[in-house]
Amino acid sequence: MSTPVWITATPPATHGELHIGHLAGPYVAADVLTRYLRADGEAVRFTTGTADHASSVEVRALRHHRKPEEVAEGYRAAITADWLRSGVEFDHIVRPRRDKGYGRWVQDLFAKLYAQGVIAPRTRLLPYCEPCDRWLHGAHATGTCPHCGAASDGGMCHECARPNDGGDLISARCALCDTPAVARRCRRLYVPLEPFRDTLADYWATAGLPPRLAALCESLVEDGLPDIAVGHPAEWGLDVPVEGFPEHRIDGCFEAAAMHLFGHDPKGPLPRRAIHFCGFGHAFCHAVLLPVLLLAQDIKLPQDFNVNESYVIEEGVQEGNVWALDLLTEYGSDTLRRHVLQARPLGRRTVFQRERLAAARRELDENWNSWLSRLFSAVREECGGLAPQALPGGTGWEILERRLHRGVDDLREAYGPDAFDPRRAVAVLDEMVRSVADFGHVNAHERCRPSTSCRHLPALAAQLAVASGLAAWSRPVMPEGADRLASALRVEPGRPVDWQALTGPLPGTRLAPPSGPVFGF
């Protein structure tokens, strides 16, 4: 039986720590979708890896006089710890230098594609640094993109997402010593994409690509699909398993695409649907090279793409203000997750503003936590800390209940893969909390009416039902606080996002509210 949904997120290069821009890109958003589908009963496999063999890892090692494996291992540990602290839970994180059989599997795939003629040798110009006595590929070379004119490394432009061959990088220089590069002829291994023109065009036409990614793919077809270098003369990375290239290493983009296949389990059944989360600058590996690897093996896999733009860190912002670890320590995962989802750079770049992160904390404190604190205090004072012996009710309850049902429909649409919009989900959740907080304020005055006792208890039961619902509805966005709320109410965590979650704890249940805020800290 095949895995119904396979969700991937771009493997980050282990040349540095995660900053808030990374979390605002693929990782938290992919985790939101994964949590929603799992709670809804879908079988999901959520995978990524770490790009330990990226050329940027070697460049950082050379700059700091360290071994590349030390750099990769150190930052891999930091990145995986940041994922864990931010609540991003992968089923499998491929560790290229630790996962048993990984290196051999990638090399076997490379050799198989070479034997099939999918990979072929070509002789092209490649920048070379004479003072360093080093071929400049990937992050070793800096210059200007020949397609869009932006500053670019060799191999891939993160601005327009189009590949360059190194030799066509304008004004190429050595990233280490800043010496102008000399173009030399170099025989390398390539994947010529032109033989896949028709199959790729058909694939892209049915994949439902986001507009900017569709424009990139159509431009590649119109301009003539390029040959993509998948090996380079280098010292760092997996050895090219082809005779005649003894000092060449497998390209990082090829390995990233292959890593996704290994992370899913190359020996297991294929999923019926794959959903890839990536930044636009990495879209080529996901939307072009990965399909080629699949098509070359006669594998047709329906794939969807959630592509984000850049979350820009302005110049002058101190490093301590953007690193994921520091912000998670200061704000907690609930605040940081809801902020990066609100600021998610979808269709356009967004700029990190610390005040907006602080505003996310204020929203939780002044609305979410304030309402829950009043609710738990009222239950303690009026009912001895036990869920009241009353059915949900109160002035305006029927109206609020209808609004909540509509809100759940909106949430399911915003969380779902076909119209995925976590920013909309956050807005709907905030509106729900404001509405129930108003309901609580209005009905609190029932305690002051001398004519009938216990008139306020149905309103408390109603608010507890909404709190129970929020423990399920908010969990994809803020799992830490949602689970804390479920524990306080003695209800099951991780329930589906549906209207049936609008059921409070059984009458007489002793609540266990936390000593501090429910969401954030």
Side-chain angles (χ1 to χ4, degrees):
M1 185 175 181
S2 65
T3 303
V5 181
W6 173 33
I7 298 175
T8 75
T10 300
T14 49
H15 63 260
E17 298 181 35
L18 292 183
H19 58 66
I20 191 171
H22 295 116
L23 295 181
Y27 304 116
V28 172
D31 183 76
V32 168
L33 178 58
T34 299
R35 289 179 182 275
Y36 167 73
L37 291 175
R38 282 208 176 114
D40 217 38
E42 289 271 15
V44 180
R45 185 163 177 83
F46 181 27
T47 68
T48 189
T50 53
D52 296 354
H53 295 137
S55 56
S56 57
V57 174
E58 184 181 20
V59 169
R60 186 175 185 92
L62 290 169
R63 282 175 175 163
H64 295 276
H65 307 290
R66 299 177 64 192
K67 295 180 179 179
E69 52 267 35
E70 294 175 350
V71 172
E73 282 296 309
Y75 284 118
R76 183 191 58 77
I79 288 169
T80 52
D82 289 344
W83 279 331
L84 185 63
R85 293 190 64 175
S86 62
V88 178
E89 296 183 353
F90 292 99
D91 294 303
H92 188 189
I93 301 172
V94 177
R95 302 170 301 172
R97 301 185 61 79
R98 291 196 174 193
D99 281 17
K100 184 177 180 180
Y102 168 80
R104 173 54 56 191
W105 184 86
V106 173
Q107 290 175 318
D108 287 347
L109 175 62
F110 194 101
K112 176 182 177 182
L113 295 175
Y114 177 78
Q116 293 173 343
V118 175
I119 295 176
R122 299 282 191 273
T123 299
R124 304 280 171 77
L125 294 176
L126 185 66
Y128 188 86
C129 178
E130 293 180 336
C132 294
D133 190 22
R134 187 184 303 277
W135 290 102
L136 305 181
H137 67 94
H140 289 277
T142 62
T144 300
C145 174
H147 305 291
C148 71
S152 175
D153 293 343
M156 197 67 61
C157 175
H158 292 295
E159 180 66 30
C160 70
R162 294 188 64 149
N164 65 74
D165 196 33
D168 55 356
L169 191 65
I170 300 171
S171 302
R173 307 179 73 89
C174 176
L176 290 173
C177 70
D178 200 37
T179 300
V182 176
R184 291 187 179 181
R185 289 169 61 82
C186 180
R187 188 168 177 79
R188 291 182 288 168
L189 291 168
Y190 286 76
V191 172
L193 296 180
E194 194 61 29
F196 294 92
R197 165 185 286 271
D198 293 338
T199 51
L200 276 175
D202 291 342
Y203 165 79
W204 291 329
T206 59
L209 303 178
R212 192 180 182 196
L213 183 54
L216 168 65
C217 293
E218 289 180 14
S219 297
L220 289 171
V221 171
E222 183 176 312
D223 296 344
L225 291 171
D227 297 347
I228 303 300
V230 292
H232 312 282
E235 298 174 358
W236 177 243
L238 295 174
D239 292 342
V240 166
V242 175
E243 290 187 8
F245 299 88
E247 297 180 355
H248 286 227
R249 304 293 183 269
I250 295 175
D251 176 73
C253 186
F254 178 95
E255 187 180 343
M259 187 182 298
H260 284 309
L261 300 180
F262 183 86
H264 178 265
D265 181 6
K267 297 180 181 179
L270 284 173
R272 64 171 172 83
R273 183 178 189 180
I275 304 173
H276 302 296
F277 284 78
C278 66
F280 182 74
H282 293 91
F284 186 90
C285 289
H286 290 266
V288 182
L289 198 52
L290 177 57
V292 166
L293 298 188
L294 293 168
L295 292 168
Q297 302 174 79
D298 294 323
I299 298 174
K300 295 182 179 180
L301 176 63
Q303 299 183 74
D304 299 306
F305 298 87
N306 276 278
V307 180
N308 62 271
E309 300 292 337
S310 299
Y311 188 48
V312 181
I313 310 299
E314 291 185 320
E315 291 186 11
V317 176
Q318 296 181 354
E319 288 186 348
N321 288 330
V322 300
W323 295 125
L325 174 61
D326 296 329
L327 293 174
L328 285 164
T329 302
E330 182 177 355
Y331 287 92
S333 68
D334 289 338
T335 300
L336 198 61
R337 283 173 68 104
R338 64 165 288 140
H339 167 71
V340 299
L341 294 172
Q342 286 181 303
R344 182 165 163 75
L346 190 63
R348 79 282 185 265
R349 290 185 171 187
T350 54
V351 179
F352 170 63
Q353 297 180 19
R354 195 177 181 91
E355 171 54 31
R356 292 186 179 179
L357 177 57
R361 169 183 276 174
R362 287 196 299 272
E363 177 68 28
L364 290 178
D365 287 342
E366 296 175 4
N367 291 305
W368 291 63
N369 291 325
S370 177
W371 163 62
L372 288 169
S373 178
R374 291 194 303 273
L375 174 60
F376 287 133
S377 294
V379 172
R380 182 178 63 252
E381 294 169 3
E382 303 296 331
C383 308
L386 305 179
Q389 299 283 343
L391 294 175
T395 300
W397 171 240
E398 291 183 358
I399 296 173
L400 176 59
E401 192 175 23
R402 288 197 298 270
R403 288 178 179 172
L404 292 172
H405 280 215
R406 291 195 297 268
V408 169
D409 289 339
D410 285 347
L411 279 178
R412 289 186 61 83
E413 180 182 70
Y415 281 144
D418 296 326
F420 184 69
D421 187 357
R423 184 187 303 167
R424 170 63 180 159
V426 172
V428 172
L429 290 168
D430 284 343
E431 179 59 28
M432 286 176 162
V433 171
R434 294 190 187 101
S435 295
V436 71
D438 289 344
F439 172 84
H441 282 301
V442 168
N443 283 274
H445 297 286
E446 292 285 4
R447 287 178 293 178
C448 303
R449 294 176 61 173
S451 58
T452 307
S453 63
C454 300
R455 289 181 63 101
H456 60 290
L457 295 184
L460 289 181
Q463 292 177 77
L464 287 174
V466 178
S468 176
L470 280 172
W473 304 336
S474 67
R475 193 173 189 272
V477 172
M478 296 178 288
E480 185 177 1
D483 286 352
R484 196 179 291 135
L485 180 56
S487 176
L489 297 171
R490 310 288 193 180
V491 298
E492 182 182 358
R495 291 165 294 157
V497 177
D498 58 26
W499 65 268
Q500 294 178 351
L502 189 63
T503 304
L506 293 174
T509 300
R510 181 166 295 280
L511 307 186
S515 58
V518 175
F519 290 91
F521 55 76

